[in-house]
Amino acid sequence: MDAIRVTDGIYWVGAIDWNIRSFHGYTTPRGSTYNAFLITGEKNILIDTVKRPFYEEMLSRISSIIDPAKIDIIISNHTEMDHSSSLPMIQELTGATVLASRLGVEGLRLHYPELRTEMVADGQEIRAGGKTLKFIDTPMLHWPDSMFTYVEEDKVLFSMDAFGQHYATSKRFNDEVDQDELFQEAAKYYANIILPFNARVRQTIEKAKEIDIQILATSHGVIWRKDLGKILQLYSEWAASRTEEKAVVVYDTMWNSTRIMAEEIAEGITSRGVEVVVLKLTDNDRSEVMKEVLDARAVIVGTPTLNNNMYPSVADMVYYMRGLRPTGRFGAVFGSYGWAGGAAKAVHELMQSGGLEMPFEPYQIRYVPHEEERRKCREMGQRIGDRIKEMSAAKG
Ligand code: FEO
């Protein structure tokens, strides 16, 4: 397999995982890539590796440029195993030391006790192979150990997970692929991986303004080499919790009562001129829901009560969402119950504990919504729509 030239002396030597469909709980219908990069010169440098089953693919791509044994330095920008699990094998082959941030060294020792590592500090520069490499700590993007590596001469920023997409394609650059697919995947990736670290993204974007970036070489999906301003602007907006006049109504249902409520609430929201997306959890997985939540101003959750508890698919979704902390939005809860309620209140409390504002009391009905209950659902939707509009007015 061949390496792909990124710029003079810098090559993509990663792997394409065409068939991965779940990435720790995030569905990846378009697969993913693990991007590793080779810098050649007086010294040969490997930046990150690939998931262990793809080691041979990486080696084959490196071999199309140099003898892999001639790698002098390995840089690990991020300890997570999709990028680090080939480190022991490539170190055994090359004898090269692995450079990582302070927490990277600590994390790598815990993962691979035999690995020889050396710490590089935030802001430290090294000269190697005719290039100047600068290390920039970016903790929590996506783990505490994360760092960027910047090559000054070529203005290439190796940004590991940041700006990634789970997107397998035979193309390697952002200007070569379908733009709608690309930005859908970039948004889904942000919503499911980066969202809890909005504050860190804001700090990182401030740091990034100090450097001239021509190529943004992320660890997943395509490399950004054209119109970088667009993805940087989107990251700024997502990190600032910028939302649209949009609500997501997400629910599950046992005997259609909660479905009817969801549809009436959606109708009420729509009547106020607000966009609504309605998703039933049996047919939509949690990571797709989060993609819709990313630019939504309200998340409205419907749950039936099952055995005095919230419905399992709703519990899954709400716990997942709580971890991702989509703050700067508000939520509301509704649902049907038979003889003892409680599910809607439990969902309400969980959403509140995840940082959502919860201005409405949960609306629960017994068994089946008839005309009066349907009307109340529509009114609830109208109040939600009004609140979304008021938030726009407040922002000016
Ligand atoms: Fe792609 Fe956080 O690893």
Side-chain angles (χ1 to χ4, degrees):
M1 291 181 178
D2 288 336
I4 305 289
R5 179 184 173 278
V6 176
T7 187
D8 284 348
I10 301 183
Y11 301 88
W12 174 84
V13 290
I16 306 173
D17 193 349
W18 291 101
N19 293 302
I20 187 171
R21 291 293 176 266
S22 172
F23 195 97
H24 56 51
Y26 164 163
T27 55
T28 50
R30 292 194 174 97
S32 193
T33 75
Y34 314 112
N35 297 340
F37 299 93
L38 178 69
I39 303 177
T40 57
E42 302 137 34
K43 298 269 186 197
N44 297 309
I45 303 163
L46 180 67
I47 299 189
D48 288 316
T49 67
V50 296
K51 213 186 232 187
R52 195 181 179 105
F54 296 87
Y55 173 68
E56 295 297 335
E57 181 174 338
M58 179 182 78
L59 217 53
S60 155
R61 295 190 193 280
I62 296 170
S63 300
S64 71
I65 305 294
I66 59 162
D67 174 358
K70 295 200 168 138
I71 289 171
D72 301 289
I73 299 168
I74 305 168
I75 294 168
S76 171
N77 278 329
H78 178 25
T79 310
E80 195 165 7
M81 275 108 94
D82 48 335
H83 311 294
S84 70
S85 54
S86 292
L87 285 173
M89 290 183 291
I90 194 76
Q91 183 168 74
E92 190 179 342
L93 179 71
T94 62
T97 296
V98 176
L99 307 184
S101 69
R102 182 177 64 79
L103 292 174
V105 165
E106 185 183 310
L108 289 171
R109 282 188 185 143
L110 292 165
H111 281 80
Y112 319 103
E114 306 304 320
L115 202 69
R116 273 183 300 99
T117 55
E118 191 177 312
M119 190 202 103
V120 288
D122 182 35
Q124 186 178 334
E125 291 182 0
I126 60 165
R127 286 277 307 161
K131 299 201 188 276
T132 311
L133 276 67
K134 183 173 182 177
F135 305 105
I136 303 164
D137 281 356
T138 55
M140 301 319 297
L141 290 183
H142 144 241
W143 278 10
D145 53 75
S146 297
M147 68 175 190
F148 289 170
T149 299
Y150 178 63
V151 179
E152 272 183 20
E153 289 75 7
D154 303 286
K155 304 185 188 339
V156 179
L157 183 70
F158 296 96
S159 64
M160 41 91 223
D161 281 344
F163 309 106
Q165 332 93 46
H166 284 312
Y167 188 22
T169 159
S170 57
K171 305 294 186 185
R172 296 277 60 83
F173 298 97
N174 70 309
D175 53 305
E176 299 178 312
V177 296
D178 182 285
Q179 297 300 291
D180 185 51
E181 280 185 6
L182 170 61
F183 283 100
Q184 289 285 331
E185 292 303 335
K188 184 173 176 181
Y189 186 95
Y190 192 99
N192 286 278
I193 305 270
I194 309 288
L195 185 61
F197 313 116
N198 276 346
R200 296 289 191 178
V201 175
R202 293 195 293 272
Q203 289 167 7
T204 302
I205 285 175
E206 284 309 305
K207 274 191 184 182
K209 283 180 184 162
E210 294 164 15
I211 51 180
D212 183 4
I213 308 166
Q214 296 294 318
I215 296 174
L216 199 45
T218 173
S219 288
H220 295 289
V222 294
I223 299 158
W224 304 89
R225 69 176 178 188
K226 289 267 170 70
D227 304 324
L228 268 58
K230 184 169 178 188
I231 187 67
L232 289 168
Q233 176 64 23
L234 280 170
Y235 262 58
S236 292
E237 290 174 8
W238 292 331
S241 299
R242 214 204 83 173
T243 55
E244 306 289 336
E245 288 188 350
K246 171 181 166 183
V248 178
V249 178
V250 54
Y251 73 98
D252 218 329
T253 194
M254 289 170 68
W255 295 105
N256 281 323
S257 293
T258 308
R259 177 186 65 78
I260 291 166
M261 295 178 78
E263 289 170 1
E264 295 288 6
I265 290 169
E267 197 66 17
I269 298 170
T270 306
S271 74
R272 293 307 203 239
V274 169
E275 181 191 351
V276 184
V277 175
V278 181
L279 299 167
K280 183 183 172 198
L281 284 165
T282 312
D283 303 317
N284 294 279
D285 82 274
R286 56 177 104 87
S287 51
E288 279 299 316
V289 173
M290 284 313 300
K291 185 182 81 181
E292 295 297 339
V293 168
L294 184 61
D295 62 353
R297 200 163 291 165
V299 188
I300 317 303
V301 177
T303 181
T305 295
L306 178 67
N307 299 326
N308 295 337
N309 218 329
M310 63 185 90
Y311 203 66
S313 57
V314 178
D316 174 279
M317 172 64 219
V318 175
Y319 271 101
Y320 184 70
M321 181 166 67
R322 186 175 71 157
L324 292 167
R325 298 189 68 80
T327 53
R329 299 154 179 83
F330 73 90
V333 184
F334 62 95
S336 158
Y337 68 99
W339 53 100
K345 188 164 180 291
V347 171
H348 179 101
E349 286 168 1
L350 263 178
M351 289 171 70
Q352 200 157 38
S353 71
L356 283 165
E357 193 190 345
M358 300 296 289
F360 300 101
E361 282 300 306
Y363 180 48
Q364 299 184 81
I365 60 125
R366 233 183 132 197
Y367 289 120
V368 174
H370 297 290
E371 195 43 48
E372 174 66 6
E373 292 81 15
R374 284 174 176 250
R375 184 182 59 75
K376 286 186 175 166
C377 284
R378 284 196 296 280
E379 284 174 2
M380 181 180 182
Q382 287 161 359
R383 287 198 303 278
I384 291 165
D386 289 342
R387 188 176 180 87
I388 288 171
K389 288 280 188 186
E390 283 160 17
M391 288 168 77
S392 296
K395 282 181 188 168

